[in-house]
Amino acid sequence: MSTAVEVVALHVSPVHAYEGRPGDGPRPDPEPVSREHVVVRAGLGLVGDRYFNQPAHRAAAVTFFAVESLEHIADRLGLPGPPNPLVVRRNVVLRGFDVDRLARHDVFTLDSGDGPVRFEAHRAANPCGWMDAVIAPGAFKALRGRGGRRCVPLDDGLLRLGPATLTT
Protein backbone atom coordinates (compact mmCIF):
# COMPACT_ATOMS: atom_id res chain seq x y z
CA MET A 1 0.00 0.00 0.00
CA SER A 2 1.46 3.39 -1.02
CA THR A 3 0.87 6.55 1.00
CA ALA A 4 1.75 10.12 0.08
CA VAL A 5 3.80 11.57 2.94
CA GLU A 6 6.00 14.56 3.59
CA VAL A 7 9.52 14.39 4.98
CA VAL A 8 9.35 17.41 7.29
CA ALA A 9 12.73 17.08 9.02
CA LEU A 10 16.00 15.21 8.62
CA HIS A 11 18.44 15.06 11.51
CA VAL A 12 22.00 13.75 11.53
CA SER A 13 24.33 14.47 14.44
CA PRO A 14 27.74 13.00 15.23
CA VAL A 15 27.16 13.39 19.00
CA HIS A 16 24.44 12.95 21.60
CA ALA A 17 22.96 16.26 22.70
CA TYR A 18 20.85 14.79 25.52
CA GLU A 19 23.39 13.39 27.97
CA GLY A 20 23.59 13.85 31.69
CA ARG A 21 20.77 15.49 33.61
CA PRO A 22 17.93 17.27 31.83
CA GLY A 23 18.21 20.13 34.32
CA ASP A 24 21.71 20.88 33.00
CA GLY A 25 20.37 21.44 29.49
CA PRO A 26 21.38 19.81 26.21
CA ARG A 27 24.79 20.11 24.63
CA PRO A 28 24.80 22.22 21.48
CA ASP A 29 25.32 20.41 18.22
CA PRO A 30 28.74 20.99 16.68
CA GLU A 31 27.13 21.54 13.26
CA PRO A 32 23.70 22.51 11.93
CA VAL A 33 20.95 20.09 12.92
CA SER A 34 18.59 20.55 10.00
CA ARG A 35 19.47 18.79 6.72
CA GLU A 36 18.07 19.15 3.21
CA HIS A 37 19.05 15.55 2.45
CA VAL A 38 20.74 12.55 4.07
CA VAL A 39 22.75 9.69 2.59
CA VAL A 40 21.54 6.23 3.60
CA ARG A 41 23.86 3.20 3.63
CA ALA A 42 22.42 -0.30 3.76
CA GLY A 43 22.98 -1.98 7.11
CA LEU A 44 24.97 1.00 8.42
CA GLY A 45 22.63 3.97 8.86
CA LEU A 46 22.88 7.63 7.89
CA VAL A 47 26.30 8.95 6.88
CA GLY A 48 27.59 11.32 9.57
CA ASP A 49 25.22 10.18 12.31
CA ARG A 50 26.44 9.00 15.72
CA TYR A 51 24.91 5.54 15.14
CA PHE A 52 26.42 5.05 11.67
CA ASN A 53 28.27 1.71 11.47
CA GLN A 54 28.02 1.11 15.23
CA PRO A 55 27.59 -2.66 15.76
CA ALA A 56 25.49 -2.17 18.91
CA HIS A 57 23.05 0.03 16.97
CA ARG A 58 22.81 -1.67 13.57
CA ALA A 59 19.17 -2.70 14.11
CA ALA A 60 18.40 0.79 15.40
CA ALA A 61 20.58 2.98 13.19
CA VAL A 62 17.80 5.14 11.74
CA THR A 63 14.90 6.52 13.75
CA PHE A 64 11.54 7.50 12.22
CA PHE A 65 8.98 9.76 13.89
CA ALA A 66 5.50 11.05 13.00
CA VAL A 67 5.15 14.83 13.33
CA GLU A 68 1.50 14.25 14.26
CA SER A 69 2.80 13.03 17.64
CA LEU A 70 4.08 16.54 18.33
CA GLU A 71 0.72 18.00 17.33
CA HIS A 72 -0.90 15.56 19.78
CA ILE A 73 1.27 16.64 22.70
CA ALA A 74 0.82 20.33 21.84
CA ASP A 75 -2.96 19.82 22.13
CA ARG A 76 -2.66 17.65 25.23
CA LEU A 77 -0.31 20.04 27.04
CA GLY A 78 -1.97 23.25 25.84
CA LEU A 79 1.12 24.48 23.98
CA PRO A 80 0.68 27.39 21.55
CA GLY A 81 1.81 25.16 18.68
CA PRO A 82 3.70 21.95 17.99
CA PRO A 83 7.38 21.93 18.98
CA ASN A 84 10.14 22.00 16.37
CA PRO A 85 10.30 18.41 15.02
CA LEU A 86 14.08 18.36 15.44
CA VAL A 87 13.79 18.57 19.23
CA VAL A 88 12.92 14.86 19.45
CA ARG A 89 16.26 14.07 17.77
CA ARG A 90 14.80 11.45 15.44
CA ASN A 91 16.50 11.08 12.06
CA VAL A 92 13.48 11.14 9.76
CA VAL A 93 10.30 13.01 10.70
CA LEU A 94 7.28 12.29 8.49
CA ARG A 95 3.82 13.75 8.07
CA GLY A 96 1.04 11.45 6.91
CA PHE A 97 2.07 8.04 8.26
CA ASP A 98 1.83 6.61 11.78
CA VAL A 99 5.28 5.07 12.15
CA ASP A 100 4.40 3.84 15.65
CA ARG A 101 2.02 1.28 14.14
CA LEU A 102 4.90 -0.51 12.38
CA ALA A 103 5.61 -3.93 13.88
CA ARG A 104 9.01 -5.45 14.43
CA HIS A 105 10.44 -6.70 11.10
CA ASP A 106 7.91 -4.81 8.96
CA VAL A 107 9.63 -3.66 5.77
CA PHE A 108 8.64 -0.33 4.24
CA THR A 109 9.98 1.81 1.41
CA LEU A 110 10.45 5.56 1.38
CA ASP A 111 11.01 7.40 -1.90
CA SER A 112 11.56 11.16 -1.69
CA GLY A 113 12.41 11.55 -5.37
CA ASP A 114 15.82 9.91 -5.70
CA GLY A 115 14.61 6.31 -5.76
CA PRO A 116 13.15 3.96 -3.19
CA VAL A 117 15.01 3.09 0.01
CA ARG A 118 13.80 0.11 2.03
CA PHE A 119 13.89 -0.02 5.83
CA GLU A 120 13.13 -2.79 8.30
CA ALA A 121 11.37 -1.70 11.49
CA HIS A 122 12.73 -2.89 14.80
CA ARG A 123 12.07 -1.72 18.34
CA ALA A 124 10.16 1.35 19.44
CA ALA A 125 12.15 4.56 19.89
CA ASN A 126 10.86 5.30 23.36
CA PRO A 127 10.90 8.92 24.52
CA CYS A 128 13.12 9.95 27.42
CA GLY A 129 12.86 12.32 30.37
CA TRP A 130 14.66 14.97 28.33
CA MET A 131 11.36 15.67 26.55
CA ASP A 132 10.05 17.36 29.71
CA ALA A 133 13.09 19.66 29.66
CA VAL A 134 13.23 20.52 25.93
CA ILE A 135 9.49 20.59 25.10
CA ALA A 136 7.41 21.11 28.25
CA PRO A 137 6.64 19.36 31.53
CA GLY A 138 4.45 16.36 30.74
CA ALA A 139 5.87 15.81 27.23
CA PHE A 140 7.67 12.62 28.25
CA LYS A 141 4.42 11.03 29.41
CA ALA A 142 2.45 12.41 26.45
CA LEU A 143 4.91 10.84 24.00
CA ARG A 144 4.70 7.33 25.46
CA GLY A 145 3.70 5.02 22.63
CA ARG A 146 4.37 7.86 20.14
CA GLY A 147 8.18 8.03 20.19
CA GLY A 148 8.76 6.57 16.74
CA ARG A 149 10.48 3.46 15.48
CA ARG A 150 14.12 2.35 15.22
CA CYS A 151 14.95 0.85 11.84
CA VAL A 152 17.75 -0.62 9.79
CA PRO A 153 18.20 0.52 6.18
CA LEU A 154 18.19 -2.31 3.63
CA ASP A 155 19.32 -0.21 0.65
CA ASP A 156 21.75 2.57 -0.12
CA GLY A 157 20.03 5.77 -1.15
CA LEU A 158 19.21 9.40 -0.55
CA LEU A 159 16.34 10.98 1.37
CA ARG A 160 15.25 14.59 0.88
CA LEU A 161 12.91 17.00 2.60
CA GLY A 162 9.54 17.41 0.91
CA PRO A 163 6.93 15.16 -0.69
CA ALA A 164 7.59 11.44 -0.67
CA THR A 165 5.88 8.09 -1.07
CA LEU A 166 5.90 5.48 1.68
CA THR A 167 5.01 1.92 0.72
CA THR A 168 4.24 -0.85 3.21
Side-chain angles (χ1 to χ4, degrees):
M1 179 174 140
S2 291
T3 305
V5 297
E6 179 186 2
V7 179
V8 297
L10 294 168
H11 175 262
V12 173
S13 177
V15 298
H16 290 281
Y18 301 154
E19 288 183 333
R21 297 182 194 150
D24 297 335
R27 294 186 333 193
D29 274 308
E31 58 186 73
V33 176
S34 183
R35 306 291 174 119
E36 292 294 318
H37 69 276
V38 293
V39 176
V40 182
R41 295 286 312 276
L44 301 175
L46 302 181
V47 174
D49 193 63
R50 63 197 173 279
Y51 294 123
F52 182 79
N53 198 22
Q54 296 295 318
H57 296 283
R58 290 246 170 87
V62 180
T63 52
F64 281 81
F65 185 80
V67 75
E68 290 86 356
S69 294
L70 292 175
E71 294 164 352
H72 163 78
I73 67 166
D75 288 342
R76 184 168 172 183
L77 300 177
L79 302 176
N84 180 330
L86 295 171
V87 75
V88 293
R89 312 263 313 162
R90 300 298 188 243
N91 298 120
V92 181
V93 181
L94 300 175
R95 175 178 301 286
F97 183 79
D98 180 8
V99 299
D100 293 299
R101 74 177 173 89
L102 291 167
R104 188 175 185 88
H105 301 297
D106 279 355
V107 174
F108 64 96
T109 302
L110 186 61
D111 186 346
S112 60
D114 290 282
V117 181
R118 290 176 306 135
F119 293 88
E120 182 178 353
H122 284 270
R123 69 183 195 269
N126 296 316
C128 67
W130 273 95
M131 297 300 99
D132 284 351
V134 298
I135 296 175
F140 170 60
K141 185 176 180 182
L143 278 172
R144 286 191 189 142
R146 297 174 179 266
R149 194 53 108 175
R150 298 184 184 280
C151 302
V152 60
L154 302 177
D155 301 312
D156 289 350
L158 189 72
L159 298 179
R160 294 184 185 278
L161 291 178
T165 302
L166 190 142
T167 306
T168 54

